[in-house]
Amino acid sequence: MTSKETGDAIKCAYDKLVPIEKLKAHPKNPNTHTKRQVEALAKIINHQGWRAPIVVSKATGLIVAGHCRLEAAKHLKLTHVPVDYQQFGTEADEL
């Protein structure tokens, strides 16, 4: 992967680099992020690299943590993001 695809550097543990279009936001995600927040996070990722992966549930395939990171990656026009797949006991645990 080139830095154009993932950003300058990945400085966190992750299971796999995943194409952005393969990720699905959790429809019950209670958090919302403003355009300003997304742009600020994009600046941080662009400057410091990835410090945390996007967390995806092994059971449902939905994003559990990292919705704003995904939007920041889209803002940066990245094609792949670091993903950590985790097991959760229940759907409530995912939220």
Side-chain angles (χ1 to χ4, degrees):
M1 293 278 141
T2 67
S3 63
K4 179 70 174 152
E5 293 169 312
T6 62
D8 278 344
I10 299 173
K11 300 175 182 176
C12 62
Y14 65 96
D15 293 324
K16 186 177 176 183
L17 287 174
V18 177
I20 285 177
E21 66 272 5
K22 299 278 185 187
L23 296 173
K24 298 176 200 162
H26 199 297
K28 295 181 182 177
N29 176 31
N31 302 315
T32 59
H33 303 285
T34 66
K35 181 179 178 183
R36 186 174 179 191
Q37 287 173 314
V38 171
E39 289 172 348
L41 184 54
K43 279 185 180 180
I44 292 167
I45 291 170
N46 193 48
H47 178 73
Q48 295 184 1
W50 288 89
R51 297 290 180 162
I54 294 173
V55 177
V56 173
S57 168
K58 286 182 179 180
T60 63
L62 299 173
I63 294 173
V64 175
H67 291 85
C68 191
R69 284 174 285 220
L70 177 61
E71 293 306 312
K74 289 177 182 178
H75 180 78
L76 292 168
K77 297 182 179 14
L78 303 179
T79 61
H80 291 72
V81 294
V83 171
D84 181 31
Y85 291 96
Q86 296 184 16
Q87 189 67 46
F88 294 88
T90 66
E91 184 181 354
D93 291 343
E94 288 184 8
L95 296 174

